[in-house]
Amino acid sequence: MIFGASPDAVSLASFAAKTGFSVTVCDWREALCNKKIFPNADQLIVGSPQEAVSKLQFTPRDFVVILTHQFQRDKELLQLIVEKDLRYIGVMGSKQRTSRLLNFGELPFQISTPVGLTIGAEGPEEIAISILAELIHVKKMLLKSKVPFL
């Protein structure tokens, strides 16, 4: 699940779909969250963070990536999903920023911030690749460790 319809979200949705992930994109802007911009998305949800989250069924195998690039939207999203049983939550921005979003020091184990592998990525495509590489890594490591991937 990708929250935000930024250029890096467009690339991430495309690459993720091509590597076998089911992709849902959520954004409050209909002009950015549509099939023309996200042709490979399985589902598009237009609405506020609260509206989008209320329309989703979360499971312990779900990966969530927050790419809204807006502090208040990110804060609202994290507050809505942090207590859900999710495999992974990736948040764009530094650990300090994410800690401020949640109003506490230590981040829950399933939150990865800054999202993506540290490869010196620049531009939407490279950022998307760094994020997808981390998602694949988490997925594969869980399979190797025989942790149930429901």
Side-chain angles (χ1 to χ4, degrees):
M1 296 171 201
I2 302 169
F3 288 92
S6 61
D8 37 350
V10 173
S11 295
L12 177 59
S14 176
F15 296 149
K18 290 175 184 174
T19 56
F21 284 90
S22 175
V23 177
T24 298
V25 178
C26 307
D27 194 273
W28 62 97
R29 301 162 293 191
E30 192 170 350
L32 297 178
C33 188
N34 59 62
K35 271 294 189 188
K36 184 177 178 187
I37 294 174
F38 290 97
N40 298 324
D42 298 298
Q43 182 179 14
L44 297 166
I45 298 175
V46 177
S48 69
Q50 187 167 2
E51 291 168 333
V53 168
S54 72
K55 294 177 182 177
L56 293 166
Q57 296 291 322
F58 294 94
T59 72
R61 66 178 185 209
D62 288 333
F63 292 75
V64 171
V65 179
I66 299 175
L67 300 173
T68 73
H69 298 278
Q70 293 192 7
F71 188 87
Q72 285 307 118
R73 299 276 182 178
D74 289 356
K75 184 174 186 166
E76 186 178 349
L77 281 164
L78 270 178
Q79 289 173 349
L80 291 167
I81 66 170
V82 72
E83 298 298 324
K84 298 198 180 294
D85 188 11
L86 297 165
R87 183 69 66 198
Y88 171 95
I89 301 171
V91 182
M92 182 67 78
S94 69
K95 287 188 187 319
Q96 293 81 8
R97 179 182 182 275
T98 302
S99 187
R100 284 188 11 239
L101 292 170
L102 290 171
N103 295 322
F104 51 82
E106 184 119 2
L107 297 174
F109 75 93
Q110 78 271 33
I111 293 182
S112 178
T113 185
V115 66
L117 296 181
T118 305
I119 61 171
E122 294 180 8
E125 291 82 12
E126 289 184 5
I127 291 168
I129 288 169
S130 76
I131 294 169
L132 185 58
E134 184 173 54
L135 298 179
I136 292 168
H137 175 76
V138 169
K139 183 178 171 184
K140 299 291 183 179
M141 293 309 293
L142 290 169
L143 291 173
K144 275 187 178 179
S145 68
K146 300 192 190 245
V147 171
F149 193 71
L150 306 172

